Amino acid sequence: MGNNQLEEDEDLFVTLTLEDDSEVDCLVVSIFEAEGRDYIALLPTEGPENEEGEVFLYRYFDEDGEPGLDNIETEAEFMLASQAFDQLVEDGEYDEIIEEEENLH
C-alpha cells in the first residue's frame, strides 16, 4: 500500500474503542508503509488526546475488502512506525491537516 495521501475532500474518520471501553473519534491522517508493513496514523478529534496533539499509530490491514487495525506489540515496531510517520511529517506532507486541527481550538 504505502504513502496514501488523502485528498482534502476525502477526510476519513474512525471510532476507536479504547481499553477502558471509552470511544474516541479520530481523523485518518495517513496509511503508510514501514519495513513492508502498513500502518495507520489517527488524530483524535476531541478529548485530552486531541488537546495534547497525540497521534495514535496502529498496524493496518485489509482482509477481503474489510479494513482492520492491530495493536503494535513491541517497542521496536512502535519506534519503526513512529520514525516512518515522523519522516512524513518532516517532509511536510501533512502540514495542512495538522494546521486545520490546531485552528479548531
Side-chain angles (χ1 to χ4, degrees):
M1 180 165 289
N3 294 343
N4 289 342
Q5 186 169 354
L6 303 173
E7 299 295 325
E8 280 183 47
D9 59 349
E10 294 181 18
D11 287 346
L12 297 175
F13 294 88
V14 297
T15 300
L16 292 179
T17 302
L18 303 179
E19 290 177 1
D20 65 359
D21 288 330
S22 63
E23 292 186 343
V24 178
D25 292 325
C26 298
L27 171 68
V28 176
V29 177
S30 177
I31 299 170
F32 59 97
E33 186 178 312
E35 298 280 325
R37 282 194 162 159
D38 289 330
Y39 295 92
I40 189 167
L42 304 172
L43 181 66
T45 59
E46 56 189 34
E49 295 88 356
N50 175 271
E51 292 169 16
E52 295 169 15
E54 186 173 341
V55 174
F56 297 139
L57 298 177
Y58 289 91
R59 266 191 237 134
Y60 175 83
F61 63 91
D62 188 327
E63 191 171 293
D64 299 325
E66 288 294 318
L69 305 178
D70 277 333
N71 288 327
I72 296 172
E73 298 294 332
T74 67
E75 184 70 25
E77 184 182 2
F78 178 78
M79 291 303 295
L80 175 77
S82 180
Q83 289 171 350
F85 179 71
D86 288 347
Q87 187 61 51
L88 292 175
V89 172
E90 281 182 29
D91 292 345
E93 293 192 33
Y94 301 101
D95 288 346
E96 285 183 18
I97 292 173
I98 294 167
E99 287 172 9
E100 286 175 15
E101 284 295 313
E102 287 174 353
N103 289 335
L104 293 176
H105 299 283

